[in-house]
Amino acid sequence: MSKQTVSAISQGASDAAAGPVVIIRDYYDSCNEDEGRKQKNTKSQVPRRKILRPESITLLDDMLYPLSREEFLHHHFRKNAVCIQRRLRPSQPQGKKPKRNDKDQTPSDCNGSRELVSYICHKYLFDLDIRQIFAETSSENVFLWLRPPTTSSSPNTLNSVEISDPDTAYALHQSGSHPAYCRAPPPLEQLLVRSLLRSTGLGGGHYHPPHSDAVSLGGGTTLGRGEVELFIGAKNPDGNSMNGKDLKNKHTTGAHTDFQENFTIQLSGIKEWTLRRGRVRHPLRATTPHYRREASVIENQLKMARLCCEAGDDANKAKGIYGFEYNDNNACGPEQTITLYPGDVLYFPSGMWHTVKTVEPGVSLNVSLMGTTYASLVCESLQHLLLGSDERWREVVTSRPGDVDGASHLQELMRGLSKTVDEFVSRGGGAQSVLPPALCHPPLENDDDTSGLDDGSVASEEENESMNVAGSSDSNVVEEVDNENNNSEGVDRSACLVVDMDQFKGPTGWSCNGRKLVKNPLASLISMEEVASHISDRGNKNGKSDTRKYILNVNFAGNEMCESHIRVILATEKYIDLMDRYMKHDVEDVDDTTHPECLFYYGFFSWAA
């Protein structure tokens, strides 16, 4: 597909009357593919399609090809659904023209590109061995969907049961023909979520896997989150495959919306998707009428949807009529139906209504990405700021009728709120203090760099290990703390980033020059020696060292667990005197040019507006 063709399709999607899905067709003939391999010296004839590898830094590019990542992020991401349809056509008899019309093709003469997903299936999903997938899932339980009775008045309403034992879940899935859902094994989930968060910039590209000791800036407060779900189809109760024309007994989910950004990869089988734009942009909750839900869940989904509902000039009216069911009050524009074969990729944004019908049972993989909202980030930061600005904000809410009026006390505090916020924005760094550069740039890491490998090749285990060293190939990160073997100071530093201040280099294109320096009011600096000195029977067992270490915490008082958005250990020989001055809050008389750059990058210092 030419760049002009992709661009033309993309422009068509901007029309409000257009369907919600931009379809990018990547059809190629097997003979042309073979010819391309023979002529590797001619770059224009070498197909760029790559087998999808979760550890590759070009994963998103490979998923989207022939659509460029830039085109996707600038014109479609969080706006339109995008479907990449890949078809490897069998060689045609000489003189016979291959079919080019998608409507004329059937699964038998329009094969999905199974080889593109073969690596994921083999290396991470046990060649789609369902029993093994159930045993290795990240989920505590496997979910099985129960088919509603054929006489049911709501044939698309799902009932599900949770099965903790993988063998029991597998037996029920096989014998009862129950479609199943579970999360992917942890290695696959962590690679996919990490890669796609970095590529899309959601959460600043930061990710801390749950229940993991991986190094990250802020642990549980990491801005980006995600999970990988596996949807596993089942045969009809009569044992026949679901690839006929009769749709009566095929498993179908009713229309619903998600609050995450979603990337679906069809690994096997065939699914039919019908999508339509929703009226809620950036939803905070899903809308799931296709599940049997408790009243409290329905209430929560409705109140959040109506809070966020958008409907042009009639938005306020729409807030009251947005319902729980799929209809014109909750959706807008035309429906659009697409079919996914193995190797196809579908992205659809949060808030888009969709139904999914199993045409032929198989396995599909869905990456759901989410993160902290700007509202949550600002509220946490504001709480931190208030708790440190006036002791009255730290008082417990108290009200006794006829004696103490809590509302009056709050009103008095709120009179000074706008001044506190204005001073923070104009003189305390504002947005730069809330989102330091370290949270706006992906982690300083050399992620599994396979960009130099030939198509189809895989880095050796030794290469992957050398490229995956915790922290960086740069000299910034001097160690990944091992709490058992490297705790000479007696401080619990598991899964903490240790930065060499003397050798620090920020990411490409980043600079802190030419701006007025301010101390970030959300930042705290503590000497590691000070912490260790208060731990009985511990201390620096190795005696005095030329290197001193300091703990930097940024934005930590906005949550009950006091978890920091940034927590790093700064190690230095060169800046000890300067750091000791900072410990005493003595920053006023220090020349801006002498401040270590890493203190700007990680948020101890910020810039005035």
Side-chain angles (χ1 to χ4, degrees):
M1 173 177 285
S2 67
K3 184 179 295 185
Q4 291 82 0
T5 304
V6 174
S7 177
I9 294 177
S10 303
Q11 291 172 3
S14 63
D15 185 354
V21 186
V22 176
I23 299 176
I24 307 297
R25 294 183 173 92
D26 180 25
Y27 292 174
Y28 55 99
D29 298 321
S30 57
C31 58
N32 292 340
E33 188 81 353
D34 294 337
E35 185 68 21
R37 291 192 184 99
K38 295 176 183 178
Q39 301 184 33
K40 285 192 174 182
N41 293 330
T42 308
K43 291 185 178 180
S44 62
Q45 296 185 22
V46 178
R48 192 197 171 282
R49 301 172 194 87
K50 286 186 178 181
I51 292 176
L52 301 183
R53 303 181 188 279
E55 60 271 17
S56 171
I57 61 173
T58 62
L59 174 64
L60 182 60
D61 304 81
D62 299 334
M63 289 171 59
L64 295 173
Y65 180 81
L67 184 68
S68 71
R69 184 199 302 200
E70 291 73 21
E71 177 83 6
F72 170 74
L73 292 176
H74 294 158
H75 297 287
H76 305 302
F77 186 52
R78 297 194 285 194
K79 300 173 186 175
N80 312 304
V82 174
C83 179
I84 309 296
Q85 294 183 336
R86 298 186 175 94
R87 303 292 183 267
L88 174 59
R89 293 191 184 87
S91 299
Q92 298 291 326
Q94 189 172 5
K96 184 176 180 180
K97 186 177 181 181
K99 296 180 179 180
R100 296 289 175 181
N101 188 342
D102 188 32
K103 295 181 179 180
D104 296 335
Q105 295 179 352
T106 65
S108 61
D109 63 5
C110 185
N111 299 319
S113 300
R114 289 179 174 85
E115 73 275 11
L116 296 180
V117 295
S118 60
Y119 179 77
I120 292 177
C121 296
H122 174 69
K123 178 162 180 142
Y124 295 101
L125 294 175
F126 321 105
D127 290 319
L128 300 186
D129 182 327
I130 306 304
R131 182 193 295 271
Q132 190 70 15
I133 288 174
F134 287 173
E136 302 294 335
T137 176
S138 300
S139 310
E140 293 184 0
N141 300 306
V142 175
F143 294 80
L144 297 181
W145 287 317
L146 306 181
R147 297 177 183 276
T150 55
T151 57
S152 172
S153 59
S154 302
N156 291 333
T157 301
L158 301 175
N159 280 318
S160 65
V161 293
E162 300 180 35
I163 309 295
S164 59
D165 179 61
D167 291 332
T168 302
Y170 179 74
L172 290 172
H173 168 70
Q174 290 293 97
S175 62
S177 300
H178 300 301
Y181 153 84
C182 66
R183 284 169 60 186
L188 178 59
E189 180 172 80
Q190 293 174 17
L191 284 170
L192 289 174
V193 172
R194 181 172 177 244
S195 177
L196 293 180
L197 283 175
R198 286 179 68 102
S199 296
T200 60
L202 287 174
H206 293 271
Y207 171 57
H208 183 84
H211 314 298
S212 170
D213 291 333
V215 171
S216 64
L217 282 179
T221 61
T222 302
L223 299 179
R225 304 186 300 279
E227 62 183 26
V228 176
E229 308 138 314
L230 296 174
F231 297 93
I232 303 165
K235 294 182 179 180
N236 268 336
D238 59 7
N240 295 326
S241 178
M242 302 180 187
N243 57 0
K245 294 183 178 180
D246 182 12
L247 304 181
K248 182 177 179 180
N249 290 322
K250 294 183 178 180
H251 179 259
T252 304
T253 65
H256 62 284
T257 70
D258 301 324
F259 69 92
Q260 307 98 330
E261 304 296 321
N262 296 276
F263 292 86
T264 290
I265 304 173
Q266 192 69 29
L267 301 178
S268 65
I270 304 171
K271 286 192 174 180
E272 183 179 280
W273 289 66
T274 300
L275 302 101
R276 189 180 181 192
R277 300 183 191 278
R279 293 193 185 276
V280 179
R281 289 200 63 200
H282 312 304
L284 301 174
R285 291 288 186 275
T287 304
T288 55
H290 66 312
Y291 271 120
R292 292 194 182 277
R293 294 296 193 189
E294 297 178 355
S296 60
V297 175
I298 297 174
E299 178 184 341
N300 280 336
Q301 291 187 2
L302 274 177
K303 70 184 182 184
M304 297 309 294
R306 290 178 178 177
L307 171 70
C308 306
C309 189
E310 296 180 2
D313 296 333
D314 209 18
N316 290 328
K317 181 180 177 181
K319 291 178 185 290
I321 64 174
Y322 188 97
F324 194 63
E325 299 297 330
Y326 171 63
N327 53 42
D328 289 342
N329 289 332
N330 308 336
C332 57
E335 288 185 346
Q336 189 171 355
T337 298
I338 58 171
T339 303
L340 296 187
Y341 294 89
D344 289 353
V345 174
L346 171 66
Y347 160 77
F348 61 99
S350 60
M352 184 168 283
W353 288 91
H354 56 282
T355 63
V356 187
K357 181 190 301 179
T358 297
V359 178
E360 183 177 290
V363 180
S364 59
L365 177 154
N366 188 76
V367 185
S368 300
L369 304 179
M370 63 205 90
T372 302
T373 65
Y374 283 108
S376 295
L377 180 62
V378 169
C379 287
E380 288 188 17
S381 306
L382 183 59
Q383 177 173 316
H384 181 120
L385 191 67
L386 295 177
L387 292 174
S389 65
D390 188 328
E391 65 181 26
R392 294 177 299 169
W393 284 108
R394 300 193 295 272
E395 292 184 38
V396 176
V397 175
T398 305
S399 187
R400 295 188 298 271
D403 183 8
V404 178
D405 186 353
S408 297
H409 185 55
L410 178 60
Q411 182 65 31
E412 181 181 348
L413 283 170
M414 293 182 69
R415 287 193 184 100
L417 182 60
S418 60
K419 180 181 178 181
T420 301
V421 174
D422 288 344
E423 287 183 353
F424 175 64
V425 172
S426 61
R427 300 172 57 187
Q432 295 285 350
S433 292
V434 175
L435 274 179
L439 293 179
C440 293
H441 290 80
L444 293 173
E445 297 176 330
N446 185 20
D447 287 347
D448 301 68
D449 189 354
T450 58
S451 58
L453 300 174
D454 292 333
D455 286 3
S457 63
V458 187
S460 67
E461 293 183 6
E462 292 80 6
E463 288 172 325
N464 279 330
E465 184 177 351
S466 67
M467 292 185 290
N468 235 353
V469 173
S472 174
S473 61
D474 301 334
S475 54
N476 302 328
V477 180
V478 297
E479 58 179 310
E480 173 186 356
V481 171
D482 181 334
N483 194 42
E484 293 183 2
N485 302 320
N486 194 5
N487 196 13
S488 59
E489 291 90 348
V491 180
D492 182 4
R493 302 178 286 141
S494 57
C496 182
L497 207 61
V498 181
V499 176
D500 185 345
M501 296 180 62
D502 304 343
Q503 302 295 326
F504 177 81
K505 294 180 182 179
T508 303
W510 176 80
S511 173
C512 63
N513 296 329
R515 303 186 185 187
K516 182 180 177 181
L517 173 148
V518 293
K519 161 70 170 61
N520 186 352
L522 305 179
S524 169
L525 195 62
I526 304 173
S527 167
M528 186 168 285
E529 287 184 353
E530 180 182 0
V531 177
S533 67
H534 296 285
I535 301 176
S536 61
D537 300 328
R538 291 190 182 184
N540 193 334
K541 301 176 183 178
N542 298 327
K544 275 288 183 180
S545 170
D546 292 335
T547 300
R548 292 277 294 275
K549 295 178 181 177
Y550 303 83
I551 308 170
L552 173 63
N553 289 279
V554 179
N555 202 354
F556 52 85
N559 60 87
E560 292 184 359
M561 300 302 294
C562 298
E563 290 185 306
S564 305
H565 281 260
I566 293 178
R567 181 180 185 269
V568 294
I569 294 175
L570 304 172
T572 182
E573 294 181 17
K574 179 179 178 181
Y575 297 109
I576 292 176
D577 291 341
L578 204 55
M579 294 294 282
D580 287 342
R581 290 183 62 179
Y582 298 155
M583 294 276 297
K584 301 174 184 178
H585 302 281
D586 181 11
V587 300
E588 300 296 333
D589 299 328
V590 180
D591 184 358
D592 288 6
T593 60
T594 65
H595 294 296
E597 283 196 352
C598 67
L599 294 183
F600 291 88
Y601 186 76
Y602 289 109
F604 180 75
F605 287 117
S606 186
W607 304 276

